[in-house]
Structure formats: structure tokens, C-alpha cells
Amino acid sequence: MTKPLTVFGQTTQPGQSSRYRAKVSELNDGTEVTVPVMVHVGAQDGPTVMLSGAIHGDEYNGPASIPRIFDLLDPSTLKGALIAVPVMNPFSYYTRERCASLDYEHLNLNRIWPGDANGLPTQRLAHALFSQCVEQSDYVLDYHEGGVAFLANYIILGGTVETKKKVGDKQLEMARWFGDGMPVDDATIGEAAIRMGRAGALSEAAGSHGIPAIGIEIGGAGTVWPDWVERSVNGSLRILKGLGLIDSAPAETNSSDQIICNTTTWLRPSHGGLIRPYDAAQIHAIIDQGTPLADLLDPFGNVLETLSAPFDSVIMDTRFISTVMPGDWTYKCGKLPS
């Protein structure tokens, strides 16, 4: 029989489930800041898996998918344990923003893991969640999306060379179990991405501790997409089956082969303006190098530049908000394997 599991001071016994709110901070008037926590402890031994949602406060795939996954599992037959936190970042969730404007430095929670117990509010939040949830887990499924500005539909692995050596093979196996034709970003992050904080992403921080974690990027535009939530739930159940927690999972509904990309890039305009997309600029579209994806227009309707595929690509992310500043992300292209 598996052992009891204590998360944020509350213990769940084998074969049982718990749902509660755990204090992680306080507001400036002393009001408690909490996160919702759900725990299944199976009656049989197995790995512990964490489900993480809303690290960014404008991303709703996690909060929509995680409770559904939790409710589909039965602790009496579960082999292992599940720790689920549908809203990881209450500070940014309150304000429906990517980063925490309530934090003095407006920190991005997914750039500062594993946090700092003596740091700013978001750093302390990261430390509490990492020490209580991530470090008690064997695997992490981290749910993201495009936020208000993008539509995303892919799985992100990646990490530094060192982290990929530790957990890269398992990350890729988890993505394969998700399946359903979901493209995979398996690029190794370089120095430029590290300078931008990518080494502080949850998948990287967990991986550096030997805990395989993948980012499930599905949804965006500040809304819940029922079909994509269904895809997120079913793919996650297939991962849980692959890890041995459950015996059965929904079959894949998309017969497309899963494309593994070791090189990805965002198209970034040199000017500010209005994006006018071409028909080719669709999620999961397979396009040739040089295919135009969008024109950038000035207020007079003049074309300032055309954004085109830098290589034979699959489109993983598309811009939803149509105005851009110079250097903004617009379309994420994954390079097709040769």
C-alpha cells in the first residue's frame, strides 16, 4: 500500500482524496492569499504526478482541464498519487494578466522557479509551490496556452543541455503518450533564451532536479475552448496511463503524425503596426520556407513588411491580438524534420 501524502500541512490517506485551499501569502491589508489544492492518493503504489495550471493569470486551459482530470480518477484504483493546483499564480489570476502587477517587480512566475523563501511575493509563492508540490512529485504536467494575445496548440519540452541529459528522453516519451497529432517543441534553449529567463521556467527548474516536466500549450485568446480542453484532458489521461497511474485512457482522435521539432522560432516584426494574416497562418498548418504568413500595415494601409516562414514549418502559435510593437511575437514556427 502507498503512503499518506502531506501537502501544505494537510495529509491525505491512501485510497482517499482531498480538496482544500492552502495559504501561500498575504495581501497588504493582511488578507490571506491561497491556492486551490486537490490531492488523490491511490490505494496502490506508483509515481506522484503534479498538474499545474495558471502560472500565467490570463491562461485558462489549466483551470478548465485540471478539475476534469481529477474528477475522472478514482483513488481506490489509482496506482500512485496526484497533486493538482489549477491556479498556481493567484497574484496574476486576480488581475487577468500574464505577470504579477501586484508584485513590485511585476515578476513572471514562469521565469523565477524554484523561487526564494525570502524574496519578493512572487518569488516566495514560487518557493512555496516548488517545495510543497513539485519536489514531492516524480513528474509534472504544466498547462499553458497563448494568453490573451495568442492561440497555441503544441507541447513544449526543451531545456538546457544539462537538463535534457537528465530528463529529455522521459519528456519526449510523455509528449508521445499525449499524441493526437500535437506538434512538439523539443528545442534546446540557448544563451539568448537563458538571458530572457527561460532557465527559470518550471519545466527547466523541475528537470534540473531530475523531475521530468512538460508544458501542454493549448488554447488562448482569454477564453475557454471546449474542444481544446477535451484534447488537453484526453491527452493528459494517456500520459497518466503511460506512467502507470491508470489502466485505460481515451483513444487518440487525430490520426496526424506527431511532428517533433528541434528548432523553433518566433517571427518578430521590425516595425509597429497592424497584422493582416494570410490564409496559411493557421494552427498546425504545414508550410514551405518563404510562405507569407502576414503583412504588417501602417495606419494608412501601407505594407511595412511581410512576415514569412523562415524554413519548412509547422505553425504552433498564432497572433490573436492584431496590433504589434517592434519585436513582438507573432507566429511560432517549428522546423520540420529533414
Side-chain angles (χ1 to χ4, degrees):
M1 178 177 290
T2 191
K3 297 179 181 179
L5 181 60
T6 301
V7 183
F8 286 111
Q10 181 148 332
T11 300
T12 305
Q13 298 295 328
Q16 296 184 3
S17 301
S18 301
R19 299 172 190 251
Y20 52 94
R21 301 195 71 91
K23 180 181 176 180
V24 291
S25 190
E26 297 174 1
L27 297 180
N28 52 9
D29 67 350
T31 300
E32 289 190 352
V33 175
T34 65
V35 294
V37 181
M38 302 185 292
V39 178
H40 279 315
V41 178
Q44 303 177 61
D45 284 329
T48 297
V49 178
M50 181 188 178
L51 309 182
S52 158
I55 281 180
H56 296 129
D58 62 347
E59 297 181 357
Y60 306 118
N61 180 46
S65 300
I66 289 173
R68 286 190 52 191
I69 296 167
F70 190 85
D71 288 342
L72 289 170
L73 303 180
D74 181 354
S76 68
T77 60
L78 193 68
K79 301 170 185 175
L82 193 79
I83 302 171
V85 185
V87 179
M88 294 275 280
N89 191 349
F91 293 123
S92 63
Y93 200 76
Y94 295 155
T95 57
R96 299 184 294 276
E97 296 174 311
R98 177 175 173 84
C99 299
S101 60
L102 296 178
D103 187 301
Y104 183 80
E105 292 289 350
H106 292 201
L107 294 175
N108 181 340
L109 180 57
N110 210 33
R111 297 295 181 269
I112 62 169
W113 297 101
D116 181 348
N118 300 306
L120 291 165
T122 306
Q123 293 173 302
R124 292 174 182 235
L125 171 67
H127 172 79
L129 289 164
F130 201 86
S131 60
Q132 289 292 315
C133 301
V134 178
E135 289 187 325
Q136 294 207 75
S137 303
D138 300 299
Y139 305 95
V140 177
L141 306 186
D142 185 24
Y143 298 83
H144 288 269
E145 58 175 70
V148 295
F150 304 95
L151 289 174
N153 211 290
Y154 65 102
I155 296 173
I156 187 167
L157 312 182
T160 61
V161 172
E162 293 77 13
T163 295
K164 289 176 75 66
K165 287 179 181 178
K166 290 182 180 179
V167 299
D169 289 345
K170 197 64 182 185
Q171 283 182 318
L172 185 55
E173 187 176 34
M174 291 163 69
R176 290 291 200 189
W177 284 329
F178 188 101
D180 211 33
M182 284 283 286
V184 177
D185 177 353
D186 191 22
T188 301
I189 63 174
E191 288 300 321
I194 291 172
R195 286 194 298 272
M196 289 292 290
R198 271 292 307 282
L202 182 57
S203 56
E204 172 64 21
S208 68
H209 284 65
I211 303 167
I214 65 170
I216 299 171
E217 299 264 2
I218 300 182
T223 191
V224 173
W225 302 88
D227 290 348
W228 284 4
V229 170
E230 192 76 13
R231 167 176 273 194
S232 182
V233 170
N234 291 342
S236 300
L237 291 173
R238 287 190 290 270
I239 293 175
L240 296 182
K241 178 185 176 184
L243 294 173
L245 277 77
I246 57 178
D247 294 327
S248 62
E252 297 182 37
T253 58
N254 185 348
S255 60
S256 298
D257 291 336
Q258 196 172 35
I259 300 171
I260 310 297
C261 301
N262 299 122
T263 299
T264 64
T265 192
W266 282 91
L267 303 185
R268 300 158 74 97
S270 300
H271 304 277
L274 183 72
I275 290 287
R276 183 177 64 188
Y278 286 85
D279 290 341
Q282 302 294 325
I283 289 284
H284 290 190
I286 306 298
I287 55 176
D288 296 330
Q289 181 178 357
T291 299
L293 295 178
D295 290 330
L296 185 65
L297 309 179
D298 69 13
F300 303 101
N302 300 310
V303 176
L304 299 172
E305 60 184 304
T306 298
L307 304 175
S308 302
F311 33 64
D312 294 347
S313 305
V314 56
I315 297 180
M316 297 178 166
D317 250 300
T318 63
R319 184 85 181 183
F320 187 78
I321 292 179
S322 295
T323 58
V324 295
M325 301 283 280
D328 270 350
W329 297 340
T330 59
Y331 300 91
K332 183 173 184 175
C333 296
K335 186 175 183 178
L336 298 180
S338 55

